[in-house]
Amino acid sequence: MSVDGRIAADREQLTDWTSAEDKQFFVLKTKESGVVIMGRRTFQTIGEPLPERLNIIMTRQEPPFDDIPGVLESTNQSPAAVVKSLEDRQYTSACVVGGREVYSAFLAAGLVTDLYVTIEPLLFGGGVPFVEEISSQRLQLISVEKLGEQSVLLHYVVL
Ligand SMILES: NC(=O)c1ccc[n+]([C@@H]2O[C@H](COP(=O)([O-])OP(=O)(O)OC[C@H]3O[C@@H](n4cnc5c(N)ncnc54)[C@H](OP(=O)(O)O)[C@@H]3O)[C@@H](O)[C@H]2O)c1
């Protein structure tokens, strides 16, 4: 996110403004987990499934793509039902990768254990906030890591 807590300048923006080090961390972490969960809008900014990971796309509409089992799957289930169905399929972790609506839905449902937040050195002065309309939640800081020269990666657990 930007220093002013935004994850994009607008809802159509591709997340191409983050550092190379953050992108590297994102790929490593999500491949380690094997599952990425994202909103339909975020998926549309990316345009294709992220390789070597199961991509779960949250949508309440007829999805604008065909499912590819194990690769690209759309769902209109609740966050809790999505997690349950992953557990039933023997997955042990999943990364919620945005955007604001989906981050907020999983946090509000109490399903998030860890937050990895990279602060990038810019201000958007407006745009899409990280989360919206969730009740306040306490976090515990686990680590602070400098990524390259300009970025900071914060790891929190949700209490
Ligand atoms: N910097 C970052 O870390 C980061 C990461 C990801 C995304 N982003 C940015 O975030 C922006 C998009 O965020 P956003 O909040 O506008 O959209 P979003 O969360 O990506 O997608 C919202 C859509 O997801 C579906 N959805 C959300 N909650 C759902 C639920 N509980 N059940 C079923 N479907 C659900 C709905 O799809 P339908 O409308 O199809 O029903 C909704 O319109 C983009 O600009 C993107 O670049 C930034």
Side-chain angles (χ1 to χ4, degrees):
M1 65 168 66
S2 65
V3 171
D4 54 346
R6 307 290 167 157
I7 60 167
D10 64 62
R11 296 182 92 182
E12 276 73 47
Q13 186 188 27
L14 178 68
T15 310
D16 58 358
W17 48 272
T18 54
S19 58
E21 292 83 3
D22 176 69
K23 290 190 180 80
Q24 211 173 12
F25 172 76
F26 177 88
V27 170
L28 197 79
K29 199 77 197 165
T30 55
K31 283 193 176 171
E32 191 180 281
S33 150
V35 184
V36 287
I37 303 171
M38 69 186 87
R40 191 261 311 159
R41 284 177 173 276
T42 293
F43 179 66
Q44 281 186 322
T45 68
I46 303 172
E48 56 188 27
L50 299 176
E52 297 166 49
R53 286 148 281 185
L54 167 61
N55 290 242
I56 307 263
I57 315 302
M58 310 277 294
T59 178
R60 298 185 184 88
Q61 308 172 33
E62 194 57 39
F65 54 82
D66 292 327
D67 277 19
I68 309 168
V71 174
L72 178 62
E73 302 176 5
S74 63
T75 181
N76 63 1
Q77 289 182 309
S78 67
V82 170
V83 170
K84 170 79 173 58
S85 82
L86 286 169
E87 282 170 352
D88 291 346
R89 294 160 69 180
Q90 316 305 321
Y91 287 102
T92 54
S93 73
C95 296
V96 177
V97 299
R100 171 208 49 191
E101 273 192 45
V102 166
Y103 285 142
S104 303
F106 278 79
L107 279 161
L111 293 165
V112 178
T113 58
D114 295 74
L115 287 183
Y116 294 91
V117 180
T118 301
I119 308 293
E120 297 289 8
L122 82 167
L123 299 168
F124 279 126
V128 185
F130 168 36
V131 289
E132 221 168 48
E133 292 171 17
I134 61 166
S135 23
S136 68
Q137 299 192 18
R138 284 222 159 264
L139 308 175
Q140 182 184 345
L141 181 64
I142 301 298
S143 64
V144 179
E145 186 187 335
K146 197 166 172 203
L147 288 186
E149 277 304 303
Q150 291 292 322
S151 310
V152 179
L153 172 63
L154 306 171
H155 174 198
Y156 293 96
V157 292
V158 179
L159 296 178

